[in-house]
PDB file of all heavy atoms in Angstrom:
ATOM      1  N   SER A 301     122.841 130.603  99.369  1.00 97.00           N
ATOM      2  CA  SER A 301     122.540 130.813  97.956  1.00 97.00           C
ATOM      3  C   SER A 301     123.298 131.872  97.244  1.00 97.00           C
ATOM      4  O   SER A 301     123.345 132.025  96.042  1.00 97.00           O
ATOM      5  CB  SER A 301     121.055 131.167  97.867  1.00 97.00           C
ATOM      6  OG  SER A 301     120.780 132.470  98.500  1.00 97.00           O
ATOM      7  N   GLY A 302     124.042 132.644  98.040  1.00 96.00           N
ATOM      8  CA  GLY A 302     124.896 133.694  97.438  1.00 96.00           C
ATOM      9  C   GLY A 302     124.059 134.966  96.969  1.00 96.00           C
ATOM     10  O   GLY A 302     124.621 135.779  96.261  1.00 96.00           O
ATOM     11  N   THR A 303     122.915 134.938  97.351  1.00 96.00           N
ATOM     12  CA  THR A 303     121.957 136.133  97.044  1.00 96.00           C
ATOM     13  C   THR A 303     121.958 137.268  98.041  1.00 96.00           C
ATOM     14  O   THR A 303     122.410 137.051  99.250  1.00 96.00           O
ATOM     15  CB  THR A 303     120.522 135.517  96.749  1.00 96.00           C
ATOM     16  OG1 THR A 303     120.027 135.167  97.975  1.00 96.00           O
ATOM     17  CG2 THR A 303     120.491 134.422  95.764  1.00 96.00           C
ATOM     18  N   PRO A 304     121.567 138.490  97.550  1.00 96.00           N
ATOM     19  CA  PRO A 304     121.319 139.605  98.582  1.00 96.00           C
ATOM     20  C   PRO A 304     120.420 139.103  99.683  1.00 96.00           C
ATOM     21  O   PRO A 304     120.727 139.513 100.812  1.00 96.00           O
ATOM     22  CB  PRO A 304     120.784 140.646  97.613  1.00 96.00           C
ATOM     23  CG  PRO A 304     121.179 140.446  96.303  1.00 96.00           C
ATOM     24  CD  PRO A 304     121.298 138.916  96.106  1.00 96.00           C
ATOM     25  N   ALA A 305     119.445 138.428  99.307  1.00 97.00           N
ATOM     26  CA  ALA A 305     118.462 137.864 100.439  1.00 97.00           C
ATOM     27  C   ALA A 305     119.200 137.056 101.442  1.00 97.00           C
ATOM     28  O   ALA A 305     118.866 137.057 102.520  1.00 97.00           O
ATOM     29  CB  ALA A 305     117.260 137.147  99.786  1.00 97.00           C
ATOM     30  N   ALA A 306     120.274 136.370 100.970  1.00 97.00           N
ATOM     31  CA  ALA A 306     121.028 135.448 101.810  1.00 97.00           C
ATOM     32  C   ALA A 306     121.705 136.339 102.817  1.00 97.00           C
ATOM     33  O   ALA A 306     121.801 135.922 104.055  1.00 97.00           O
ATOM     34  CB  ALA A 306     121.974 134.578 101.133  1.00 97.00           C
ATOM     35  N   ALA A 307     122.283 137.330 102.508  1.00 96.00           N
ATOM     36  CA  ALA A 307     123.059 138.355 103.366  1.00 96.00           C
ATOM     37  C   ALA A 307     122.121 138.871 104.362  1.00 96.00           C
ATOM     38  O   ALA A 307     122.330 138.992 105.563  1.00 96.00           O
ATOM     39  CB  ALA A 307     123.778 139.335 102.629  1.00 96.00           C
ATOM     40  N   GLU A 308     120.951 139.243 103.877  1.00 97.00           N
ATOM     41  CA  GLU A 308     119.897 139.896 104.840  1.00 97.00           C
ATOM     42  C   GLU A 308     119.433 138.775 105.772  1.00 97.00           C
ATOM     43  O   GLU A 308     119.292 139.166 106.974  1.00 97.00           O
ATOM     44  CB  GLU A 308     118.596 140.240 103.953  1.00 97.00           C
ATOM     45  CG  GLU A 308     117.500 140.865 104.755  1.00 97.00           C
ATOM     46  CD  GLU A 308     116.211 141.093 104.000  1.00 97.00           C
ATOM     47  OE1 GLU A 308     116.211 140.816 102.857  1.00 97.00           O
ATOM     48  OE2 GLU A 308     115.272 141.632 104.646  1.00 97.00           O
ATOM     49  N   LEU A 309     119.254 137.544 105.384  1.00 97.00           N
ATOM     50  CA  LEU A 309     118.822 136.522 106.171  1.00 97.00           C
ATOM     51  C   LEU A 309     119.841 136.146 107.367  1.00 97.00           C
ATOM     52  O   LEU A 309     119.527 136.073 108.476  1.00 97.00           O
ATOM     53  CB  LEU A 309     118.550 135.196 105.440  1.00 97.00           C
ATOM     54  CG  LEU A 309     118.175 134.030 106.359  1.00 97.00           C
ATOM     55  CD1 LEU A 309     116.842 134.279 107.111  1.00 97.00           C
ATOM     56  CD2 LEU A 309     118.006 132.742 105.412  1.00 97.00           C
ATOM     57  N   ALA A 310     121.002 136.271 107.013  1.00 96.00           N
ATOM     58  CA  ALA A 310     122.187 136.047 107.867  1.00 96.00           C
ATOM     59  C   ALA A 310     122.190 137.194 108.988  1.00 96.00           C
ATOM     60  O   ALA A 310     122.418 136.865 110.196  1.00 96.00           O
ATOM     61  CB  ALA A 310     123.584 135.983 107.228  1.00 96.00           C
ATOM     62  N   GLU A 311     121.982 138.335 108.631  1.00 96.00           N
ATOM     63  CA  GLU A 311     121.925 139.371 109.667  1.00 96.00           C
ATOM     64  C   GLU A 311     120.630 139.279 110.435  1.00 96.00           C
ATOM     65  O   GLU A 311     120.743 139.467 111.765  1.00 96.00           O
ATOM     66  CB  GLU A 311     121.868 140.807 108.892  1.00 96.00           C
ATOM     67  CG  GLU A 311     123.202 141.109 108.223  1.00 96.00           C
ATOM     68  CD  GLU A 311     124.331 141.130 109.256  1.00 96.00           C
ATOM     69  OE1 GLU A 311     124.259 141.751 110.363  1.00 96.00           O
ATOM     70  OE2 GLU A 311     125.403 140.570 108.859  1.00 96.00           O
ATOM     71  N   LEU A 312     119.451 138.900 109.858  1.00 96.00           N
ATOM     72  CA  LEU A 312     118.325 138.678 110.785  1.00 96.00           C
ATOM     73  C   LEU A 312     118.496 137.546 111.722  1.00 96.00           C
ATOM     74  O   LEU A 312     118.023 137.665 112.881  1.00 96.00           O
ATOM     75  CB  LEU A 312     117.231 138.458 109.775  1.00 96.00           C
ATOM     76  CG  LEU A 312     116.587 139.680 109.047  1.00 96.00           C
ATOM     77  CD1 LEU A 312     115.646 139.238 107.899  1.00 96.00           C
ATOM     78  CD2 LEU A 312     116.024 140.561 109.941  1.00 96.00           C
ATOM     79  N   TYR A 313     119.207 136.424 111.313  1.00 95.00           N
ATOM     80  CA  TYR A 313     119.440 135.470 112.170  1.00 95.00           C
ATOM     81  C   TYR A 313     120.378 135.666 113.353  1.00 95.00           C
ATOM     82  O   TYR A 313     120.255 134.996 114.261  1.00 95.00           O
ATOM     83  CB  TYR A 313     119.850 134.213 111.373  1.00 95.00           C
ATOM     84  CG  TYR A 313     118.839 133.029 111.333  1.00 95.00           C
ATOM     85  CD1 TYR A 313     117.583 133.247 110.819  1.00 95.00           C
ATOM     86  CD2 TYR A 313     119.194 131.768 111.662  1.00 95.00           C
ATOM     87  CE1 TYR A 313     116.615 132.244 110.781  1.00 95.00           C
ATOM     88  CE2 TYR A 313     118.335 130.740 111.606  1.00 95.00           C
ATOM     89  CZ  TYR A 313     117.169 130.961 111.068  1.00 95.00           C
ATOM     90  OH  TYR A 313     116.191 129.928 111.124  1.00 95.00           O
ATOM     91  N   ARG A 314     121.156 136.789 113.220  1.00 94.00           N
ATOM     92  CA  ARG A 314     121.980 137.025 114.328  1.00 94.00           C
ATOM     93  C   ARG A 314     121.343 137.945 115.305  1.00 94.00           C
ATOM     94  O   ARG A 314     121.911 138.192 116.461  1.00 94.00           O
ATOM     95  CB  ARG A 314     123.131 137.901 113.830  1.00 94.00           C
ATOM     96  CG  ARG A 314     124.231 136.969 112.920  1.00 94.00           C
ATOM     97  CD  ARG A 314     125.457 137.799 112.513  1.00 94.00           C
ATOM     98  NE  ARG A 314     126.461 136.969 111.885  1.00 94.00           N
ATOM     99  CZ  ARG A 314     126.518 136.950 110.490  1.00 94.00           C
ATOM    100  NH1 ARG A 314     125.757 137.733 109.784  1.00 94.00           N
ATOM    101  NH2 ARG A 314     127.396 136.192 109.871  1.00 94.00           N
ATOM    102  N   LEU A 315     120.108 138.435 115.083  1.00 94.00           N
ATOM    103  CA  LEU A 315     119.507 139.392 116.025  1.00 94.00           C
ATOM    104  C   LEU A 315     118.820 138.504 117.119  1.00 94.00           C
ATOM    105  O   LEU A 315     118.505 137.341 117.040  1.00 94.00           O
ATOM    106  CB  LEU A 315     118.253 139.981 115.250  1.00 94.00           C
ATOM    107  CG  LEU A 315     118.630 141.039 114.170  1.00 94.00           C
ATOM    108  CD1 LEU A 315     117.427 141.567 113.567  1.00 94.00           C
ATOM    109  CD2 LEU A 315     119.433 142.132 114.696  1.00 94.00           C
ATOM    110  N   PRO A 316     118.861 139.075 118.398  1.00 92.00           N
ATOM    111  CA  PRO A 316     118.327 138.246 119.482  1.00 92.00           C
ATOM    112  C   PRO A 316     116.922 137.794 119.309  1.00 92.00           C
ATOM    113  O   PRO A 316     115.997 138.711 119.048  1.00 92.00           O
ATOM    114  CB  PRO A 316     118.473 139.248 120.729  1.00 92.00           C
ATOM    115  CG  PRO A 316     119.473 140.352 120.073  1.00 92.00           C
ATOM    116  CD  PRO A 316     119.213 140.407 118.693  1.00 92.00           C
ATOM    117  N   HIS A 317     116.684 136.555 119.533  1.00 87.00           N
ATOM    118  CA  HIS A 317     115.341 136.065 119.125  1.00 87.00           C
ATOM    119  C   HIS A 317     114.407 136.526 120.376  1.00 87.00           C
ATOM    120  O   HIS A 317     113.133 136.429 120.123  1.00 87.00           O
ATOM    121  CB  HIS A 317     115.313 134.545 119.134  1.00 87.00           C
ATOM    122  CG  HIS A 317     115.700 133.838 120.327  1.00 87.00           C
ATOM    123  ND1 HIS A 317     114.968 133.514 121.316  1.00 87.00           N
ATOM    124  CD2 HIS A 317     117.057 133.324 120.681  1.00 87.00           C
ATOM    125  CE1 HIS A 317     115.552 132.890 122.312  1.00 87.00           C
ATOM    126  NE2 HIS A 317     116.809 132.708 122.049  1.00 87.00           N
ATOM    127  N   GLU A 318     114.911 136.898 121.454  1.00 88.00           N
ATOM    128  CA  GLU A 318     113.984 137.356 122.556  1.00 88.00           C
ATOM    129  C   GLU A 318     113.262 138.618 122.186  1.00 88.00           C
ATOM    130  O   GLU A 318     112.255 138.841 122.675  1.00 88.00           O
ATOM    131  CB  GLU A 318     114.930 137.610 123.816  1.00 88.00           C
ATOM    132  CG  GLU A 318     115.535 136.488 124.398  1.00 88.00           C
ATOM    133  CD  GLU A 318     116.861 136.110 123.783  1.00 88.00           C
ATOM    134  OE1 GLU A 318     117.239 136.840 122.942  1.00 88.00           O
ATOM    135  OE2 GLU A 318     117.457 135.051 124.233  1.00 88.00           O
ATOM    136  N   GLU A 319     113.646 139.331 121.140  1.00 89.00           N
ATOM    137  CA  GLU A 319     113.026 140.592 120.738  1.00 89.00           C
ATOM    138  C   GLU A 319     112.227 140.384 119.478  1.00 89.00           C
ATOM    139  O   GLU A 319     111.796 141.333 118.835  1.00 89.00           O
ATOM    140  CB  GLU A 319     114.171 141.658 120.351  1.00 89.00           C
ATOM    141  CG  GLU A 319     115.015 142.014 121.743  1.00 89.00           C
ATOM    142  CD  GLU A 319     116.191 142.896 121.302  1.00 89.00           C
ATOM    143  OE1 GLU A 319     116.239 143.477 120.188  1.00 89.00           O
ATOM    144  OE2 GLU A 319     117.126 143.112 122.169  1.00 89.00           O
ATOM    145  N   ASP A 320     112.050 139.117 119.086  1.00 91.00           N
ATOM    146  CA  ASP A 320     111.254 138.868 117.989  1.00 91.00           C
ATOM    147  C   ASP A 320     109.711 139.274 118.128  1.00 91.00           C
ATOM    148  O   ASP A 320     109.362 139.244 119.295  1.00 91.00           O
ATOM    149  CB  ASP A 320     111.134 137.369 117.486  1.00 91.00           C
ATOM    150  CG  ASP A 320     112.511 136.890 116.944  1.00 91.00           C
ATOM    151  OD1 ASP A 320     113.176 137.827 116.418  1.00 91.00           O
ATOM    152  OD2 ASP A 320     112.708 135.666 116.820  1.00 91.00           O
ATOM    153  N   ASP A 321     109.127 139.764 117.033  1.00 93.00           N
ATOM    154  CA  ASP A 321     107.704 139.963 117.028  1.00 93.00           C
ATOM    155  C   ASP A 321     107.187 139.385 115.666  1.00 93.00           C
ATOM    156  O   ASP A 321     107.976 138.931 114.852  1.00 93.00           O
ATOM    157  CB  ASP A 321     107.361 141.425 117.135  1.00 93.00           C
ATOM    158  CG  ASP A 321     108.055 142.231 116.063  1.00 93.00           C
ATOM    159  OD1 ASP A 321     108.399 141.783 115.223  1.00 93.00           O
ATOM    160  OD2 ASP A 321     108.054 143.475 116.370  1.00 93.00           O
ATOM    161  N   PRO A 322     105.906 139.227 115.380  1.00 92.00           N
ATOM    162  CA  PRO A 322     105.346 138.577 114.256  1.00 92.00           C
ATOM    163  C   PRO A 322     105.972 139.451 113.048  1.00 92.00           C
ATOM    164  O   PRO A 322     106.160 138.633 111.926  1.00 92.00           O
ATOM    165  CB  PRO A 322     103.871 138.902 114.415  1.00 92.00           C
ATOM    166  CG  PRO A 322     103.738 138.914 115.853  1.00 92.00           C
ATOM    167  CD  PRO A 322     104.805 139.543 116.513  1.00 92.00           C
TER     168      PRO A 322
END
Side-chain angles (χ1 to χ4, degrees):
S301 66
T303 63
E308 178 190 0
L309 176 61
E311 290 304 313
L312 288 167
Y313 247 54
R314 290 189 179 95
L315 295 175
H317 63 85
E318 295 86 0
E319 299 175 13
D320 281 345
D321 57 21

